[in-house]
Amino acid sequence: MKNIRNFCIIAHIDHGKSTLADRLLDETATVTKREAQAQLLDSMDLERERGITIKSHAIQMEYKYKGEDYILNLIDTPGHVDFSYEVSRSIAACEGALLVVDAAQSIQAQTISNLYLALENDLEIIPVLNKVDLPSANPEEVTDDIVDLLGCDAEEVIPASAKTGIGIEEILAAVIERIPAPKGNSDEPLQALIFDSVYNPFRGVETYFRVINGSIRKNQQIKFVATGNTYGADEVGTLKLTQAPKQEIKAGDVGYLITGIKDAREVKVGDTITDAKNPTQNAIAGFEDVKPMVFAGIYPVDTEDYEELRNSMEKLQLNDASLVFEPESSAALGFGFRCGFLGMLHLEIIQERLEREFDMTVITTVPNVSYHAFTNKHPDDIILVNNPSDLPDPSSMNRVEEPFIKATIITKSDFVGPVMSLCIEKRGQIASQTYLTTERVELTFDMPLAEIVFDFYDRLKTVSKGYASFDYSPIGMRASKLVKVDVLLNGQPVDALSALLHQDNAYDIGKRMCEKLRELIPRQQFDIPIQAAIGAKIISRETVKALRKDVTAKCYGGDISRKRKLLEKQKKGKKRMRAVGNVEIPQEAFMAVLKLND
C-alpha cells in the first residue's frame, strides 16, 4: 500500500488538464504510441468536439522511481462550473491534487473554488504552472499569485508545459514524494466508496470504487449499504486504458466492479460496498446531495416515446449523477419530465447526449429556477414552485422568495465598469471589490439565480472580451416581487412558455418574447395573435399575418363592391378557420426566449 498514490487534476476550464494527463500517460508508458491521441481520457465525441471535459475519468499508471515500482491512480476532472459535482466526487477518492494554473491566464475563479473543495477534504496540493512555453506566458508574476493563494514557497511550484513535455518527470516525482500513501487496513472488513458508475448495454452497470479498508475478490458476495442489496462480484479489476480484470483489489486502490445489475437505480454514487457475510459497521459518509440550480421540462416529440425517454434518462443519470428528474405533464406538450440541472451548459450537454447516445428527439421548455411561495392562509408553509404553473393564485399569495447566489467574477481592471453595469442590470448588489494585483480584480455580487439563467454568461464574456471568469455558490432565499407572465397564442395560454419574472422586467421581457415568437412561428392560413399577459392584463401583442390568396385577381375594372364582396367572403373564412385552427410551435421558439438580446 505504501507504493500507491491516488491523485486528481483540478484547474479552471482550458488550463490544460487533459493535455497534462496525456503527457503523464506517455511518460509512464501506460499507452503505446499506437493508442496515443490528444485528450485521450475524454472518451465522448461531445467532449472532443467542444474541447471540454464533462466526465471525470480514472486511469491507473505504473511508474518506476528510484528503483521502486509505484501505482499511480489518476482522476482527470472537468473544469467548468456546471460540472463541479463531478470534481467533488473525484476529490473524495484521492489523497492529493495537482492544481494546474495557466501561465498566460493566471488564477481564475474556478481555480479558486476547486482549490477550496480540495482543501476541505485535506488533500495535499501540488501547484503546477502550465504552458510556460507560450510567448504570452508570464511565469514569475503567476508564480507569485500562486504563492499568495496557497501560502507555499516559490520553489514548490513546478513549471511545466503539457504540450512540449517540460517538467513532466518533476510532476511524477512530486506526486510520489509529496502525496501521502493511502491509509487503510487490508485485514478489516471490506469498506469501499463508489465514486462513479457507467451503464454498459452488454454488461449492465459498471461501478467504479475506491477501497478504504479490506479487499474485494472476484466471485465474493458483496452488499451495497444504502440499498441493502446483495450481489456476486462477477468481475473486479483496475482501470487501465481498457479494463484489466484482477483476482483481488486491496485497500487504497481504485478499481471497477461488474455485478450484472441491470437496473440503474440500484447503484447510488457515494454508497459503501461491503462484504455480505462480514459487513463493516460504519458506512463511509457519502457525497453531499446535488443541488440543482436550473429546472427545465424535457418532453418527447412523440408522446408514445415517454417510457423510452424514462429509460434513457435513468441510464444517463447513472453516468451523470447530478441529473435530477421527476415526471410532469403539460397541456401543450403532453407527458414529460421536470429535470434539475447544475447550469445552462449542463442542460445543453444533457439534451445533446439524449439525442446522440439514445436517439431521443426531445423538446426542452424554458429553463427556470426553484422558488418558494407562501400563502396568506398558511404563511409558514413553503410551497415549492419548480414550474410557473405551480404558483398559487396571486390574490391568496403572501410573498414569493427566490434563490440568491454569491457570484465571484475575476476580470482585468479595464473591464470593471462594463462588468458592474451588467451585474447591476441583472439585479445584482455589489458585496466587495478586491484588487488581486494591479491588473486583476475580484468582484463579488449577491444576485438572483434566475437572472443568471438567461444569457448572463455569454454577455459577461462579451463585455469583458473573454477575460472574465465566473463562479457562484448559493446563499439562500430572499423575498422578491415576482409575477407570472403567460404567453397566449391564438387566445390559448401555452404553459410551456410561461415564466416567472421580476415585476420591473416583466413588461420589457414580455414584449421581447412576443417579438421573438413572431419571427419564429410560421405563417398559417389565419392571423395568429401572440400575447403576453400578467393575470388577465395583456401587456404586449404581436400578430403573425395570415397567408392570403389574391382573391380579387379575376376582377378587372368594374364596381369596387365586387372586390369587397370577395374580400369579405375571404375574411369570414379566415375567421372560421382561426376558431378551429391549431398553432404548431417549433422547438426553436422554446429556446429563443433565452437569447432575447441577440
Side-chain angles (χ1 to χ4, degrees):
M1 238 174 78
K2 68 180 196 329
N3 287 6
I4 295 177
R5 300 287 183 272
N6 298 319
F7 68 102
C8 57
I9 304 181
I10 54 177
H12 188 79
I13 189 166
D14 258 355
H15 280 206
K17 293 178 298 303
S18 299
T19 318
L20 179 62
D22 290 349
R23 288 297 82 73
L24 292 173
L25 294 175
D26 293 347
E27 183 67 30
T28 55
T30 305
V31 289
T32 60
K33 282 273 188 288
R34 193 167 64 92
E35 293 167 323
Q37 54 173 324
Q39 290 180 308
L40 185 74
L41 294 178
D42 291 352
S43 49
M44 265 188 269
D45 295 344
L46 205 56
E47 292 180 310
R48 292 175 171 283
E49 282 167 27
R50 290 174 176 245
I52 56 176
T53 305
I54 296 168
K55 284 285 300 163
S56 298
H57 299 276
I59 192 162
Q60 190 177 78
M61 306 181 286
E62 288 166 8
Y63 186 60
K64 208 178 187 69
Y65 179 69
K66 293 188 177 168
E68 282 195 59
D69 288 332
Y70 285 88
I71 290 176
L72 310 176
N73 288 310
L74 157 71
I75 303 178
D76 179 25
T77 64
H80 197 281
V81 59
D82 280 11
F83 305 113
S84 54
Y85 186 66
E86 285 283 330
V87 182
S88 72
R89 290 164 33 194
S90 307
I91 284 174
C94 293
E95 274 85 32
L98 294 179
L99 179 73
V100 180
V101 179
D102 186 331
Q105 295 184 27
S106 188
I107 291 163
Q108 308 263 300
Q110 204 54 42
T111 319
I112 295 175
S113 72
N114 283 344
L115 172 68
Y116 287 153
L117 266 179
L119 290 173
E120 276 170 27
N121 285 297
D122 297 333
L123 262 61
E124 178 64 38
I125 308 286
I126 299 176
V128 176
L129 184 62
N130 196 16
K131 306 192 187 180
V132 288
D133 59 318
L134 287 183
S136 58
N138 197 342
E140 293 81 13
E141 197 180 301
V142 180
T143 304
D144 292 344
D145 291 352
I146 296 173
V147 170
D148 289 349
L149 180 69
L150 287 176
C152 61
D153 296 333
E155 294 76 56
E156 289 178 35
V157 181
I158 305 172
S161 161
K163 199 172 182 182
T164 56
I166 302 167
I168 300 299
E169 285 180 20
E170 289 82 350
I171 292 173
L172 285 166
V175 165
I176 290 167
E177 285 176 3
R178 294 196 216 166
I179 294 178
K183 298 179 181 67
N185 188 340
S186 302
D187 304 327
E188 284 187 23
L190 169 65
Q191 188 188 25
L193 171 75
I194 300 176
F195 67 86
D196 205 356
S197 55
V198 290
Y199 186 80
N200 179 332
F202 305 107
R203 312 194 68 181
V205 178
E206 296 173 0
T207 311
Y208 296 163
F209 61 85
R210 151 84 198 272
V211 185
I212 310 288
N213 289 314
S215 68
I216 183 167
R217 288 179 312 285
K218 191 178 175 179
N219 297 332
Q220 177 181 356
Q221 284 294 309
I222 53 151
K223 180 178 163 189
F224 287 5
V225 175
T227 55
N229 297 342
T230 308
Y231 307 98
D234 298 344
E235 185 181 309
V236 295
T238 50
L239 296 149
K240 290 283 182 25
L241 189 57
T242 51
Q243 294 168 340
K246 293 269 170 74
Q247 284 303 314
E248 183 175 30
I249 293 181
K250 295 196 168 107
D253 217 342
V254 173
Y256 73 92
L257 163 73
I258 295 175
T259 50
I261 300 174
K262 290 282 183 286
D263 187 355
R265 285 165 298 195
E266 290 180 32
V267 179
K268 297 260 190 300
V269 169
D271 193 0
T272 308
I273 306 174
T274 186
D275 186 40
K277 298 189 185 70
N278 179 13
T280 177
Q281 293 313 307
N282 42 357
I284 303 160
F287 303 109
E288 58 199 278
D289 275 349
V290 54
K291 299 183 196 70
M293 294 285 183
V294 176
F295 292 86
I298 286 188
Y299 291 86
V301 171
D302 190 347
T303 357
E304 289 162 11
D305 297 340
Y306 174 70
E307 277 306 317
E308 206 175 314
L309 179 63
R310 180 197 288 277
N311 293 338
S312 306
M313 299 274 273
E314 280 172 3
K315 287 172 188 167
L316 193 54
Q317 190 179 34
L318 193 75
N319 197 288
D320 181 350
S322 47
L323 170 67
V324 192
F325 64 90
E326 58 185 35
E328 74 161 0
S329 62
S330 141
L333 300 168
F335 289 105
F337 295 96
R338 188 95 202 139
C339 305
F341 306 95
L342 295 180
M344 290 305 295
L345 178 69
H346 190 203
L347 180 145
E348 215 176 295
I349 295 289
I350 292 287
Q351 193 180 342
E352 189 108 340
R353 285 183 70 182
L354 279 170
E355 288 184 8
R356 287 190 183 198
E357 294 172 31
F358 301 100
D359 290 336
M360 295 296 311
T361 341
V362 293
I363 293 176
T364 316
T365 64
V366 180
N368 61 358
V369 299
S370 184
Y371 299 94
H372 288 174
F374 298 87
T375 54
N376 289 324
K377 204 171 179 184
H378 308 287
D380 298 332
D381 294 356
I382 295 175
I383 301 168
L384 198 64
V385 181
N386 283 339
N387 198 339
S389 57
D390 302 340
L391 197 70
D393 183 40
S395 56
S396 66
M397 209 154 53
N398 182 329
R399 67 186 189 282
V400 181
E401 293 183 351
E402 62 175 332
F404 266 68
I405 58 160
K406 176 174 173 246
T408 308
I409 297 168
I410 296 180
T411 184
K412 282 191 158 182
S413 46
D414 315 358
F415 304 118
V416 172
V419 169
M420 274 191 177
S421 52
L422 169 68
C423 292
I424 289 163
E425 179 198 325
K426 296 281 190 185
R427 297 194 284 134
Q429 295 153 352
I430 188 154
S432 70
Q433 176 180 356
T434 322
Y435 275 80
L436 302 171
T437 65
T438 49
E439 280 292 297
R440 297 158 60 71
V441 191
E442 182 180 51
L443 300 167
T444 316
F445 284 90
D446 290 354
M447 294 176 79
L449 179 63
E451 295 289 339
I452 285 184
V453 174
F454 289 100
D455 69 8
F456 174 75
Y457 197 62
D458 298 346
R459 284 185 61 199
L460 177 66
K461 286 286 186 215
T462 311
V463 298
S464 65
K465 302 197 172 141
Y467 276 108
S469 63
F470 168 68
D471 185 38
Y472 61 82
S473 54
I475 51 172
M477 310 293 283
R478 298 187 185 176
S480 190
K481 288 182 185 166
L482 295 169
V483 290
K484 179 180 166 201
V485 176
D486 288 312
V487 173
L488 293 93
L489 286 184
N490 204 3
Q492 300 296 319
V494 180
D495 57 353
L497 285 172
S498 307
L500 283 174
L501 302 169
H502 193 264
Q503 211 165 344
D504 302 348
N505 306 344
Y507 173 74
D508 184 38
I509 292 182
K511 187 169 183 292
R512 293 218 303 260
M513 270 161 92
C514 290
E515 286 166 2
K516 199 83 178 178
L517 286 168
R518 191 190 69 196
E519 294 165 20
L520 288 166
I521 289 175
R523 289 172 69 182
Q524 316 247 347
Q525 293 290 335
F526 52 92
D527 278 7
I528 307 169
I530 303 169
Q531 295 161 309
I534 298 175
K537 182 184 171 198
I538 304 289
I539 54 170
S540 170
R541 167 173 172 146
E542 295 284 336
T543 309
V544 178
K545 283 301 193 190
L547 291 165
R548 290 176 56 182
K549 182 179 169 189
D550 186 0
V551 286
T552 59
K554 61 184 181 195
C555 291
Y556 48 92
D559 190 7
I560 185 72
S561 60
R562 289 175 60 201
K563 282 188 180 180
R564 190 154 297 143
K565 183 179 153 194
L566 288 166
L567 288 169
E568 288 296 329
K569 190 178 169 191
Q570 183 186 32
K571 198 170 168 187
K572 268 188 198 145
K574 294 282 181 207
K575 198 171 174 186
R576 195 163 58 241
M577 209 185 276
R578 189 180 138 189
V580 294
N582 259 345
V583 183
E584 288 285 319
I585 308 172
Q587 159 72 17
E588 295 86 70
F590 293 107
M591 295 319 282
V593 184
L594 301 178
K595 302 194 172 71
L596 289 175
N597 282 354
D598 294 1

